């Protein structure tokens, strides 16, 4: 029912973007697109091939040549590069520590934004990342900037590791802070709240509550557009 819209969800690491975006997409029967996974895929393949992450030319070339495909599935999204499922390679500490460097390069950002805009062309997409509301989909009908305190975000990620944690909470908090700093300070499409984005602080908030709010705002935006067309 209603006119499908695009929803942009941006914010720092561990704010709850992917969890919330996936549930909003499922509530609205929209397609969920995790753009961070695309930057992670470029980074993982660079590390696998031994391409130094400081070699901007080679990393840029890799981003332009790599065939990256996203495949929606029950628990989110699978990522394929050059016909291989690389999903399990994307969330290592090694990728965490190098992805913001890779993501700072213009050639990488231009290529990823081009692929992402293509995915959102038909509308009905919930896309999460850092620059979706500001650069990739500046015309998205609903924009959310999701945050939480740095301590809470590190704690969430630490809990996800469970008993297999091969890193201390302090190290994790340090890694996240460093990635956030690089994402906020980069010259091209930095992490930033769009002026027309709704700010949602998820600290201490239940996931369901945030999902319900966003789904409600989305339905309202969709109705407004449908009404405008009559
Ligand atoms: O899940 P988490 O919040 O830890 O990270 P992610 O969303 O998978 O993003 C990983 C990294 O990719 C970020 O730290 C950014 O450096 C980069 N990224 C970006 O530059 N632009 C986006 N639209 C999405 C991610
Ligand atoms: O995608 P992003 O890095 O922004 O965060 P996420 O991976 O969706 O969320 C990180 C963790 O925080 C997940 O384990 C979520 O279940 C949890 N979370 C939470 O406890 N409360 C919220 N309001 C949102 C997320």
């Amino acid at each position: 029912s209603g006119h499908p819209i695009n929803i942009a969800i941006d914010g720092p690491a561990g704010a709850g973007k992917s969890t919330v975006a996936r549930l909003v997409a499922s509530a609205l029967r929209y397609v969920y697109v995790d753009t961070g996974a695309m930057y992670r895929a470029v980074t993982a393949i660079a590390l696998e091939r031994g391409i130094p992450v400081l070699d901007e030319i080679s990393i840029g070339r890799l981003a332009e040549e790599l065939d990256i495909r996203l495949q929606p599935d029950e628990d989110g999204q699978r990522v394929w590069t050059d016909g291989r499922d690389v999903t399990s390679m994307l969330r290592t500490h090694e990728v965490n520590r190098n992805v913001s460097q890779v993501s700072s390069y213009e050639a990488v950002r231009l290529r990823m934004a081009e692929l992402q805009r293509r995915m959102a062309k038909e509308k009905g997409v919930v896309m999460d990342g850092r620059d979706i509301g500001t650069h990739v989909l500046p015309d998205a009908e609903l924009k959310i900037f999701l945050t939480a305190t740095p301590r809470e975000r590190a704690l969430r990620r630490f809990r996800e590791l469970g008993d297999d944690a091969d890193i201390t909470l302090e190290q994790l908090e340090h890694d996240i802070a460093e990635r956030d700093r690089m994402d906020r300070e980069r010259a091209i499409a930095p992490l930033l709240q769009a002026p027309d984005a709704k700010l949602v602080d998820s600290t201490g908030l239940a996931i369901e509550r945030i999902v319900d709010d966003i789904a409600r705002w989305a339905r309202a935006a969709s109705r407004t557009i449908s009404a405008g067309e009559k």
Side-chain angles (χ1 to χ4, degrees):
S1 67
H3 197 292
I5 64 165
N6 280 334
I7 305 175
I9 303 184
D10 293 300
K17 300 179 301 297
S18 42
T19 308
V20 163
R22 184 166 45 80
L23 291 169
V24 167
S26 135
L28 299 172
R29 294 168 194 263
Y30 280 15
V31 174
Y32 165 51
V33 177
D34 172 2
T35 65
M38 300 170 72
Y39 292 93
R40 287 175 179 274
V42 175
T43 307
I45 298 301
L47 292 170
E48 180 180 61
R49 294 189 188 170
I51 303 171
V53 295
L54 292 175
D55 180 352
E56 177 166 2
I57 303 275
S58 300
I59 298 281
R61 199 171 296 144
L62 171 67
E64 281 159 4
E65 288 170 2
L66 203 60
D67 175 31
I68 304 177
R69 309 220 173 177
L70 305 184
Q71 174 194 16
D73 91 343
E74 316 85 85
D75 23 69
Q77 173 190 269
R78 304 205 71 81
V79 182
W80 298 69
T81 62
D82 293 339
R84 175 166 66 126
D85 184 344
V86 296
T87 314
S88 67
M89 296 167 59
L90 304 184
R91 306 206 64 94
T92 65
H93 299 311
E94 188 72 0
V95 169
N96 284 338
R97 286 179 191 137
N98 289 286
V99 64
S100 291
Q101 182 65 40
V102 167
S103 303
S104 70
Y105 301 138
E106 181 167 34
V108 175
R109 302 212 69 82
L110 282 174
R111 176 73 181 140
M112 297 307 123
E114 177 197 329
L115 295 174
Q116 290 154 13
R117 287 189 188 115
R118 222 180 275 167
M119 296 176 204
K121 223 171 52 194
E122 314 291 337
K123 303 269 184 189
V125 163
V126 185
M127 194 174 276
D128 91 333
R130 299 293 185 288
D131 62 336
I132 310 307
T134 49
H135 279 87
V136 177
L137 305 177
D139 299 329
E141 289 81 359
L142 178 60
K143 300 181 185 180
I144 308 294
F145 196 80
L146 193 60
T147 64
T149 62
R151 187 72 190 186
E152 166 107 4
R153 295 187 284 108
L155 262 173
R156 288 175 181 175
R157 278 294 152 79
F158 192 65
R159 283 193 211 106
E160 284 178 343
L161 297 174
D163 294 335
D164 311 324
D166 49 353
I167 188 172
T168 63
L169 174 59
E170 285 65 36
Q171 182 63 45
L172 193 65
E173 199 170 358
H174 171 273
D175 286 357
I176 288 179
E178 183 55 20
R179 188 145 62 88
D180 287 349
R181 186 188 63 74
M182 288 187 70
D183 291 344
R184 287 194 168 102
E185 292 180 0
R186 70 173 169 237
I188 308 154
L191 168 63
L192 188 79
Q193 182 182 347
D196 53 348
K198 284 185 199 288
L199 177 64
V200 176
D201 184 343
S202 74
T203 314
L205 279 191
I207 293 168
E208 278 317 311
R209 164 72 201 284
I210 302 168
V211 171
D212 286 352
D213 281 349
I214 296 177
R216 192 159 31 78
W217 294 330
R219 290 192 184 98
S222 162
R223 276 195 301 274
T224 304
I225 292 164
S226 303
E229 279 186 349
K230 277 177 197 149

